[in-house]
Amino acid sequence: MSDVLKDKSQKRDKKAGKVTSEGSHGVRAKDTRTKDSISTVSCLTELGHHDDNARMEHLTENTYQMGPYKRFPIPAVTDILKDVLTSYLQEEKYEVEWSQKMTKTICEVIRARVKDLMIPRYKTVVLVHIGQLAGHSMQISSRCLWDALNDTFASYSFKNSSLFGAATVYAVYFE
């Protein structure tokens, strides 16, 4: 479309009360009107010169939902932790390089299995510790800003003859 036609179209829309949100970055808005409400959904369709990765930004409106419809299932997540730690660490001996790699692997497996539960509106943080059993003690603690009504965690510890493993999944409700 030529620039003259675009300008005429924009002037006509402006007089009619329509506001287009297409700017220099190609952001377009879809205007959905019903009898009682107006809803706008925006997305980024054209990347600027400073963006290296192709990504789509999707903005949604507030739901004003203050609590979860479905609570975080602590027993199911504890079973996942028990299953993963037992299967990965049952017959292993402690080695430093191996434990560094295995910690990352176990974290990814736990995260994927918890994500498969499809619990809406919860952000999860997975922590795994693997250490050598050599007659010494270890204490693991954490601190964070917490909503006691909606946020929760699940943890499980595993031991064999040469190592221990401790895994914790924190579930933080996303309002």
Side-chain angles (χ1 to χ4, degrees):
M1 191 185 305
S2 71
D3 292 334
V4 175
L5 291 175
K6 281 185 184 178
D7 290 339
K8 285 183 180 179
S9 172
Q10 288 175 351
K11 287 179 183 177
R12 187 175 347 108
D13 289 344
K14 199 174 200 181
K15 286 181 183 177
K18 295 180 184 176
V19 177
T20 61
S21 63
E22 184 175 352
S24 62
H25 293 289
V27 176
R28 293 191 181 118
K30 178 182 174 187
D31 208 13
T32 310
R33 295 176 190 240
T34 61
K35 183 177 180 182
D36 297 327
S37 68
I38 298 174
S39 177
T40 303
V41 177
S42 302
C43 68
L44 184 67
T45 57
E46 186 178 312
L47 299 175
H49 60 81
H50 60 283
D51 293 330
D52 294 330
N53 298 333
R55 64 176 185 244
M56 295 294 290
E57 183 178 328
H58 184 74
L59 303 174
T60 57
E61 292 184 4
N62 293 334
T63 62
Y64 302 105
Q65 178 182 339
M66 297 305 291
Y69 291 128
K70 181 181 177 183
R71 295 276 180 198
F72 192 77
I74 297 170
V77 175
T78 305
D79 289 342
I80 290 171
L81 295 174
K82 181 179 180 181
D83 181 46
V84 172
L85 286 177
T86 304
S87 65
Y88 277 87
L89 302 177
Q90 184 71 38
E91 300 296 325
E92 298 295 333
K93 299 289 184 197
Y94 181 77
E95 294 177 19
V96 177
E97 293 83 20
W98 172 85
S99 66
Q100 291 172 350
K101 293 175 187 172
M102 189 53 66
T103 301
K104 291 179 185 177
T105 303
I106 291 174
C107 277
E108 291 170 1
V109 170
I110 291 171
R111 186 184 59 80
R113 295 216 15 214
V114 169
K115 203 171 188 176
D116 287 342
L117 294 175
M118 296 176 58
I119 305 150
R121 299 182 73 131
Y122 273 97
K123 302 285 183 179
T124 57
V125 178
V126 180
L127 297 176
V128 174
H129 303 278
I130 297 175
Q132 184 178 16
L133 285 178
H136 54 272
S137 65
M138 181 175 175
Q139 292 182 348
I140 300 170
S141 63
S142 61
R143 246 178 117 159
C144 60
L145 187 60
W146 200 257
D147 177 10
L149 293 176
N150 300 319
D151 301 341
T152 188
F153 72 96
S155 64
Y156 181 76
S157 297
F158 172 83
K159 271 193 227 182
N160 70 10
S161 61
S162 71
L163 61 84
F164 71 91
T168 307
V169 175
Y170 295 98
V172 181
Y173 182 69
F174 183 67
E175 293 179 347

